[in-house]
Amino acid sequence: MADHDDHLDGAHGRARPHPPGRRGPRGRPKRRASLAAAGVLLGGALAPAAPAAAAEPPPECAPREPGGPLWITAGCVDPMYDRPVIDAEADAAEPVPHHRVSGHFAGTGVKFTFYFPRRWDGRFHQLVYPTQDANATAETIGSGADAGAYTVQVTGTPGYRADAAAAKFSRTVAARHYASPGKRIHGYVYGGSGGSYQTIGAMENTTGVWDGAVPFIPGTPTSIPNNFFVRAFARFVLQDKAERIADAVRPGGSGDPYAGLTGVERSVLREVTAMGVPLRAWQNPRYVLGLDDPQGLLGFAETVKAMDPAYADDFWSEPGYLGTERSPLGDLFRAARDDHDPWSLALLTYHRHQVPDRPGFDVWDRFRDAAGRPLYPQRPVEVGPAISTGVSGGGTHTGRITGKMIMVATLLDTDAFPWHADWYAEQARRALGPAYDSRFRVWFNDNADHIGAHLPGLVDYAGVLQRALRDVSAWAERGVPPPRSSRYGVADGQVTVPARAAARRGVQPVVDLTAGRTDRIDVRAGRPVAFRGTIQAPPHAGRVVSAGWDFTGTGDVAPAPVRPGRTVHVRATFTYTEPGTYYPVLRAASHRDGDTRTPYALVRNLDRVRVVVHP
């Protein structure tokens, strides 16, 4: 098992507000009534307030090398997004008082919106995602304002070019709005899942546009379609045993998910686990197996058909594929052919025939011989890297980032596997060399998956992202190092972290809950159960500020009074009157400044135990 560690420690702090420009009543910066009143609008397009002397036109953005992705600087002009037009502006009161400016890039269909709060500390936050619209959520706007940032949001497009053009244009509009010409405006880009490709592409292929970034739940150049097809493979073979596996990995379970499986089932569970599907994620088997997904996790089937049209025929006719292999698993595939779409069946093991040429993808080692050669026939095209290149705008996941970066991953993610963050961290480590510790962090969050707290036993990781944005800005603007990277190990496709907060590091508090001093207790109905919990924040990660009991595991949380601190102990007693199996939860949150009132930048975690109540 590899142990990953960095060696930079440091304190952190909250930046003192220092809005630029003249101040009005109560310390707020004065702004002009509207951009139009300031002489900024001219036929719908932004124009200087006064005629400027003739000057050399700025250079056009161009690739750094022939055929490479577009290299964007603060001073170059992207010929595709060179005509920003302001369409409307208005004041709004929710979620905080702010001035909204909306517009578009002429001839592209791409829209943008800027949200300027009254309080501003000289920075902006920008969320990116390939299919989003130009309207930011209330939480996005409010969190940005709380951090002293205005918000930039752009219609989702492949790559980073539209986002970069909007980021640069927003600085011009912000300088007029806040009456702060010449003021240095810092920018921070963040995005998850498909947005992580864009965020990474942005930080590898621009300079002077963003100062830092927070990619989260990150993918790699091999993630699509392989991650989804691997889970569909598990669905085909293991669906009938899913609840047995789930019970084994839930709190108080046997801990042996392979118990009771046939030889074929054990081999498939080992294969999908080694590819990266987190074993503990099987606590929610419907999501792991995509049982509520109408496409059965094969949503990229049509893409593969277009890029590799001969694959299915080869799968059912050529040696080296399960469709012709004389084995119990091969027999299972052939027996199912009459009741399933043959193309879809063939795709379930497509990952075996997509062994990456690029080094570093260790999870595919099980499909290589001792000399490193693939054990199975390989397809003429690697689909994953082709999709990744399109989504990232030509970015190649080189690790050569141009600013500060905090990558956030979750340990129960079945869409973007946890090892992806380690893989990119290694790219950055090799690319940055001695500068790695001063430029890059990776934080793992437990008890969280890809989407958020939509399933039992999960926490919402939005607060971690808000925390990371605040920390990366302090790092870029004032040289304040954020808390150290999480300490973790990677083996057989699984990422593990130490049990104690001091050893685990990162920023997430660690919650340890027991019932009768164990993780499982059997009691008679009507007998009280004593619960004990310990909550610890990692070093330099702030203080625990809240806790709550959910004794039935149904989401009904009762606050547990706590005194903010790095370590908090709580106790409670609850009596179950109805027989059944319960998974009580202790939830907790920490904040870097110990703020007990703010709704933002709260880093959450939980722990569960099993209570079996007998008649």
Side-chain angles (χ1 to χ4, degrees):
M1 177 181 290
D3 186 59
H4 296 259
D5 191 3
D6 65 17
H7 306 284
L8 186 64
D9 204 350
H12 62 273
R14 192 178 184 89
R16 295 181 179 176
H18 51 280
R22 296 174 295 159
R23 290 188 173 273
R26 299 183 183 177
R28 292 175 179 168
K30 289 183 177 179
R31 65 171 175 82
R32 297 182 172 98
S34 70
L35 295 175
V40 177
L41 289 176
L42 181 62
L46 189 67
E56 288 292 325
E60 187 173 288
C61 303
R64 285 188 291 181
E65 60 224 14
L70 197 71
W71 176 251
I72 297 178
T73 68
C76 73
V77 174
D78 187 330
M80 184 176 293
Y81 303 103
D82 61 345
R83 290 184 293 156
V85 177
I86 291 176
D87 298 320
E89 57 178 311
D91 289 324
E94 298 295 337
V96 294
H98 66 277
H99 189 70
R100 185 178 65 248
V101 177
S102 58
H104 69 281
F105 289 103
T108 67
V110 174
K111 299 180 180 180
F112 55 80
T113 311
F114 309 145
Y115 303 84
F116 298 113
R118 291 178 181 174
R119 176 201 161 194
W120 183 59
D121 293 345
R123 64 182 68 96
F124 69 84
H125 292 169
Q126 183 172 1
L127 177 65
V128 298
Y129 190 72
T131 60
Q132 70 182 10
D133 61 27
N135 301 304
T137 66
E139 184 177 35
T140 298
I141 300 166
S143 175
D146 182 72
Y150 68 81
T151 294
V152 175
Q153 185 143 331
V154 185
T155 303
T157 61
Y160 52 90
R161 291 173 59 179
D163 297 300
K168 293 198 291 184
F169 182 57
S170 80
R171 287 186 168 99
T172 300
V173 181
R176 301 289 182 89
H177 175 74
Y178 290 112
S180 57
K183 169 71 177 178
R184 171 76 162 90
I185 300 177
H186 294 85
Y188 304 94
V189 61
Y190 66 115
S193 191
S196 76
Y197 292 86
Q198 296 176 293
T199 303
I200 290 170
M203 293 306 292
E204 290 182 348
N205 299 295
T206 71
T207 184
V209 180
W210 297 284
D211 300 273
V214 180
F216 58 98
I217 49 172
T220 73
T222 64
S223 299
I224 304 172
N226 294 304
N227 291 16
F228 302 97
F229 292 176
V230 163
R231 289 163 57 199
F233 183 32
R235 173 181 176 149
F236 173 63
V237 179
L238 298 170
Q239 181 174 345
D240 292 342
K241 299 293 178 66
E243 280 302 324
R244 180 191 295 266
I245 297 169
D247 186 75
V249 299
R250 284 174 183 147
S254 69
D256 182 6
Y258 296 94
L261 304 186
T262 67
V264 168
E265 291 166 344
R266 286 195 299 271
S267 70
V268 171
L269 182 57
R270 289 192 185 98
E271 183 167 331
V272 300
T273 300
M275 286 299 295
V277 178
L279 265 176
R280 289 173 54 229
W282 282 84
Q283 296 178 66
N284 295 305
R286 294 195 66 84
Y287 191 79
V288 171
L289 301 181
L291 297 183
D292 298 318
D293 181 353
Q295 295 181 316
L297 296 168
L298 292 172
F300 291 95
E302 295 302 319
T303 301
V304 176
K305 285 183 182 181
M307 299 178 68
D308 191 0
Y311 172 71
D313 289 340
D314 291 346
F315 179 88
W316 296 110
S317 62
E318 297 294 327
Y321 297 88
L322 268 178
T324 63
E325 181 180 286
R326 296 302 168 184
S327 68
L329 186 56
D331 294 343
L332 185 64
F333 269 74
R334 287 185 294 276
R337 187 173 179 179
D338 290 340
D339 298 324
H340 293 75
D341 171 35
W343 241 106
S344 296
L345 277 177
L347 290 175
L348 300 183
T349 53
Y350 195 65
H351 59 281
R352 294 184 175 188
H353 311 284
Q354 291 282 286
V355 177
D357 289 332
R358 183 173 177 175
F361 289 101
D362 298 342
V363 298
W364 267 272
D365 286 351
R366 66 186 295 109
F367 306 123
R368 297 184 176 100
D369 62 19
R373 295 183 296 263
L375 295 173
Y376 300 106
Q378 296 301 294
R379 305 307 300 168
V381 60
E382 283 189 54
V383 173
I387 294 175
S388 171
T389 297
V391 178
S392 62
T396 52
H397 286 73
T398 63
R400 294 195 293 268
I401 57 176
T402 59
K404 310 289 189 182
M405 180 177 285
I406 300 176
M407 179 168 278
V408 177
T410 59
L411 291 176
L412 303 188
D413 195 339
T414 57
D415 292 313
F417 301 150
W419 65 259
H420 295 171
D422 169 70
W423 179 85
Y424 189 76
E426 289 302 308
Q427 312 311 303
R429 191 183 299 274
R430 286 195 292 268
L432 300 177
Y436 174 83
D437 286 342
S438 63
R439 302 271 293 281
F440 190 88
R441 293 285 190 276
V442 56
W443 292 344
F444 279 102
N445 292 303
D446 199 7
N447 299 307
D449 74 350
H450 196 75
I451 296 178
H454 65 299
L455 292 171
L458 297 177
V459 295
D460 187 347
Y461 57 75
V464 181
L465 306 180
Q466 295 163 1
R467 163 72 189 263
L469 285 166
R470 286 153 175 77
D471 281 3
V472 80
S473 65
W475 200 10
E477 295 168 27
R478 298 186 286 113
V480 179
R484 301 170 73 183
S485 290
S486 301
R487 180 182 280 122
Y488 60 93
V490 185
D492 297 325
Q494 301 292 292
V495 175
T496 57
V497 294
R500 296 182 61 82
R504 187 180 299 188
R505 302 191 318 219
V507 295
Q508 189 184 36
V510 174
V511 183
D512 182 23
L513 173 64
T514 61
R517 298 183 183 274
T518 70
D519 64 354
R520 172 177 175 148
I521 188 170
D522 287 68
V523 298
R524 294 290 180 185
R527 295 284 300 273
V529 178
F531 296 97
R532 294 185 178 184
T534 300
I535 308 160
Q536 293 184 311
H540 310 294
R543 288 178 289 168
V544 178
V545 295
S546 67
W549 296 102
D550 177 3
F551 293 112
T552 58
T554 57
D556 185 11
V557 180
V562 299
R563 177 178 294 178
R566 183 177 165 195
T567 301
V568 169
H569 301 281
V570 293
R571 294 186 181 188
T573 301
F574 189 81
T575 300
Y576 295 88
T577 59
E578 296 294 329
T581 299
Y582 299 87
Y583 293 93
V585 185
L586 174 60
R587 295 179 176 270
S590 65
H591 188 272
R592 69 176 194 168
D593 302 321
D595 192 332
T596 60
R597 295 175 297 177
T598 181
Y600 301 113
L602 293 171
V603 184
R604 306 179 189 277
N605 203 354
L606 58 77
D607 195 19
R608 300 195 298 166
V609 294
R610 183 184 305 209
V611 176
V612 181
V613 181
H614 301 276

